[in-house]
């Protein structure tokens, strides 16, 4: 069976100030063409279909268009909800839509109930594990202490139990939206840390033939059977080095996996350039970035006059301007934002405690801070679900 694995469409999202709906529509067209021309038997979409719980109407219309075009091809599609989606909204009409071959899996309770498709060699069971927010699903899965590994492990126990009861030789595909150990993150993914831990080991998924992951925006291979497709479009300058793509996966009769990486159309290259303003305007080596979306980091010791206007004369698609004068990290002139870069909420809070008290929090106090952040994030998740 030939599968096309994609995820993290984030329909409705913008890139800085640039609307991406046109590029997202172009991607949907590319997806449909790929399905038709490459003889795809099933499409899997591993979450974050939308960028937020209540997406704009134009994004909903694009999703509706995608569903109709996929259904017209007669190729089954399996989708799960991600941490950006409202599972309840995405799942509305799932039973009816399923009759057209579009299978939406948004209910945690249905993790062990697969979509079963057939090819010349028998059944392939597709198990959809939507994003499992530990605080919201711990009772469903009967775990004492909510955490990503615990709830995913419990969900996979249901998958393995169902698979064991099926005919021998049944092949299996799991769709999951999670941060798996070994994956490389970017700036555009929402933090899903619980209890100080965001990642789960890939061994959680042992026992199935292929795991189609979503959440991380870079296409990557965790193991030969566990892969991220990544987002089809860039959503932050941290993705400047990404090659945006999908996985074309062939699942053999014995469950063996072969995968081919297929490039996605990207509207414009990304470039991150750094230096003094005069150097950036004069350096001939930067000519290849003149038509790219640009993030410029200026290292001038004093902020120059009209930097954005001057940069746009050479780089008309400059979207982000960062001031980072070359100074030692402990220089008092270093900006507060720069000092906080790449630090978690927990680390920032612990630093604040150390600043006002003269000593950082002890282990018990660290736990109190961690629980407080987890509670706030869980409350936010509950509010999004209820919207």
């Amino acid at each position: 069976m030939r599968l096309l694995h994609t995820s993290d469409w984030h329909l409705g999202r913008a890139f800085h100030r640039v609307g991406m709906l046109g590029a997202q529509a172009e991607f949907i067209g590319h997806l449909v063409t790929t399905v038709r021309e490459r003889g795809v038997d099933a499409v899997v979409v591993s979450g974050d279909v939308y960028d937020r719980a209540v997406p704009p109407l134009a994004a909903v219309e694009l999703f509706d268009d995608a569903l109709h075009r996929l259904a017209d091809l007669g190729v089954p599609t399996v989708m799960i909800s991600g941490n950006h989606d409202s599972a309840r909204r995405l799942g509305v009409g799932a039973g009816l839509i399923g009759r057209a071959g579009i299978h939406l899996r948004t209910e945690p309770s249905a993790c062990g109930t697969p979509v079963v498709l057939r090819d010349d060699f028998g059944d392939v069971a597709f198990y959809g594990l939507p994003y499992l927010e530990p605080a919201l699903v711990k009772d469903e899965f009967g775990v004492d202490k909510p955490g990503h590994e615990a709830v995913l492990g419990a969900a996979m126990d249901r998958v393995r139990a169902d698979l064991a009861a099926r005919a021998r030789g049944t092949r299996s595909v799991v769709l999951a939206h999670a941060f798996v150990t070994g994956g490389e993150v970017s700036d555009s993914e929402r933090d899903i840390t619980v209890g100080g831990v965001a990642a789960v080991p890939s061994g959680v998924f042992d026992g199935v033939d292929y795991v189609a992951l979503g959440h991380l925006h870079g296409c990557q291979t965790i193991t030969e059977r566990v892969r991220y497709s990544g987002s089809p479009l860039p959503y932050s300058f941290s993705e400047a080095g990404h090659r945006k793509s999908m996985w074309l996966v062939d699942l053999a009769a014995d469950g063996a996996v072969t995968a081919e990486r297929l490039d996605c159309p990207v509207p414009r290259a990304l470039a991150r350039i750094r230096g003094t303003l005069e150097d950036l305007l004069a350096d001939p080596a930067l000519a290849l970035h003149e038509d790219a979306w640009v993030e410029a980091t200026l290292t001038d010791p004093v902020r120059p006059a009209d930097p954005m206007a001057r940069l746009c004369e050479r780089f008309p698609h400059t979207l982000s301007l960062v001031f980072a004068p070359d100074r030692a990290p402990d220089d008092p002139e270093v900006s507060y934002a720069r000092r906080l870069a790449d630090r978690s909420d927990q680390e920032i809070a612990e630093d604040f405690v150390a600043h006002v008290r003269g000593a950082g929090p002890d282990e018990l106090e660290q736990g109190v801070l961690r629980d407080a952040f987890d509670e706030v994030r869980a409350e936010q998740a509950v509010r999004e679900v209820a919207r």
Side-chain angles (χ1 to χ4, degrees):
M1 182 171 287
R2 173 163 283 186
L3 318 175
L4 187 62
H5 168 198
T6 178
S7 72
D8 294 273
W9 295 357
H10 288 277
L11 300 181
R13 186 164 183 162
F15 181 74
H16 289 260
R17 301 178 302 278
V18 178
M20 297 291 279
L21 205 64
Q24 290 168 341
E26 184 179 356
F27 161 70
I28 295 299
H30 170 72
L31 173 73
V32 171
T33 299
T34 300
V35 171
R36 183 175 58 248
E37 294 182 350
R38 297 301 298 266
V40 171
D41 299 307
V43 177
V44 294
V45 186
S46 299
D48 281 353
V49 175
Y50 292 121
D51 188 56
R52 57 182 186 263
V54 185
L57 178 59
V60 177
E61 291 174 340
L62 180 56
F63 179 60
D64 181 64
D65 177 64
L67 295 188
H68 277 85
R69 295 172 72 179
L70 288 168
D72 287 345
L73 291 175
V75 175
T77 300
V78 184
M79 295 183 172
I80 61 172
S81 50
N83 62 302
H84 279 250
D85 299 308
S86 165
R88 291 172 63 183
R89 280 185 167 80
L90 188 63
V92 169
L96 184 62
I97 295 171
R99 298 179 187 178
I102 308 293
H103 305 281
L104 300 173
R105 289 296 184 261
T106 63
E107 290 292 334
S109 60
C111 285
T113 304
V115 175
V116 180
L117 305 178
R118 290 186 61 84
D119 65 7
D120 293 340
F121 304 106
D123 289 347
V124 180
F126 290 78
Y127 297 91
L129 278 56
Y131 172 66
L132 302 175
E133 174 60 45
L136 303 184
V137 302
K138 61 183 179 64
D139 293 336
E140 167 66 33
F141 292 106
V143 298
D144 295 329
K145 188 173 182 180
H148 290 293
E149 184 173 356
V151 296
L152 270 172
M156 282 302 301
D157 286 343
R158 295 187 184 184
V159 169
R160 285 184 283 263
D162 180 85
L163 191 57
R166 295 188 175 274
R168 186 176 181 179
T170 299
R171 289 156 291 162
S172 54
V173 175
V174 165
L175 290 73
H177 196 86
F179 178 13
V180 175
T181 303
E184 294 185 5
V185 302
S186 61
D187 292 343
S188 52
E189 298 126 3
R190 183 181 295 169
D191 180 31
I192 59 171
T193 300
V194 173
V197 179
V200 300
S202 61
V204 165
F205 300 105
D206 285 351
V208 296
D209 294 309
Y210 184 71
V211 181
L213 293 174
H215 179 57
L216 300 185
H217 288 182
C219 181
Q220 48 202 298
T221 300
I222 305 300
T223 73
E224 287 304 307
R225 296 184 181 275
V226 181
R227 298 171 185 263
Y228 282 100
S229 67
S231 62
L233 293 165
Y235 294 115
S236 74
F237 277 103
S238 65
E239 300 170 50
H242 287 188
R243 173 187 163 196
K244 296 302 182 181
S245 52
M246 304 178 288
W247 287 113
L248 187 68
V249 178
D250 286 318
L251 192 60
D254 61 356
V257 169
T258 56
E260 177 186 354
R261 197 170 171 186
L262 305 180
D263 290 331
C264 294
V266 176
R268 195 177 298 278
L270 306 187
R272 300 178 106 172
I273 60 178
R274 181 185 181 94
T276 65
L277 178 60
E278 295 303 327
D279 286 346
L280 297 183
L281 295 177
D283 187 351
L286 298 180
L288 73 164
H289 301 313
E290 290 176 356
D291 194 44
W293 280 325
V294 168
E295 178 186 74
T297 298
L298 299 184
T299 61
D300 301 74
V302 177
R303 185 176 299 217
D306 299 323
M308 180 61 90
R310 294 171 66 189
L311 278 168
C312 285
E313 290 179 4
R314 183 179 187 189
F315 308 102
H317 304 288
T318 301
L319 299 181
S320 176
L321 185 58
V322 179
F323 293 97
D326 286 332
R327 296 189 177 112
D330 57 353
D331 189 314
E333 294 299 319
V334 173
S335 72
Y336 181 68
R338 188 176 173 192
R339 292 199 301 272
L340 296 186
D342 301 321
R343 299 184 67 75
S344 68
D345 291 341
Q346 178 86 15
E347 291 170 328
I348 293 169
E350 291 178 7
D351 285 351
F352 177 75
V353 172
H355 173 72
V356 298
R357 194 173 66 182
D362 59 25
E363 186 174 342
L364 178 61
E365 291 167 331
Q366 289 174 350
V368 171
L369 288 170
R370 189 177 303 116
D371 290 344
F373 283 120
D374 288 349
E375 184 176 346
V376 169
R377 203 176 52 78
E379 288 177 356
Q380 291 175 335
V382 171
R383 284 198 297 270
E384 285 202 2
V385 168
R387 290 174 67 185

